[in-house]
Every structure is written in structure tokens, then in C-alpha cells.
Amino acid sequence: MQFHPEAEADRIAGWDRERLARQGFDRDRLHAEAVADEGAAVSAWSVFTRRFAQVCARLP
């Protein structure tokens, strides 16, 4: 499985509806859930990204 934190709600709205349906997903539902969760996701991923950048900055 691969996770894409960069998949914001607006981006999900443009995903191929038919392809998702073949994989058992409903694009409208995914989009609605992403819209509802976007504030919390941005907050959490901002912390993650900042900490990751700090780790990378310490690498030789």
C-alpha cells in the first residue's frame, strides 16, 4: 500500500471516477471525507513535514 499525504480534497475531486469504482471506491465519498478531514490533516502533516525536514537537515 502506498499513502499520499499530498492528496488534498481538490485533487481527489479530479481522480478518475470509473477507475476508482473498479477498485471498490466511491470518488464522491472519498472527496467528502477528505474535505471533512482536511483541517486536521493539514495540521498533522505540517508537524510531520517540519520534523522530517529537521532530521534531513542533520544528515551529513
Side-chain angles (χ1 to χ4, degrees):
M1 181 167 96
Q2 186 176 10
F3 179 72
H4 290 279
E6 75 279 11
E8 297 174 345
D10 289 344
R11 189 172 192 148
I12 293 170
W15 287 356
D16 186 301
R17 181 185 312 273
E18 305 299 321
R19 184 174 181 193
L20 288 169
R22 285 192 304 269
Q23 296 175 24
F25 296 102
D26 179 291
R27 187 187 73 187
D28 293 335
R29 182 175 176 199
L30 288 174
H31 179 254
E33 290 175 0
V35 168
D37 295 339
E38 197 155 30
V42 167
S43 178
W45 282 107
S46 294
V47 172
F48 175 86
T49 303
R50 185 172 46 258
R51 290 179 180 172
F52 181 74
Q54 290 169 344
V55 168
C56 291
R58 291 192 301 263
L59 295 176

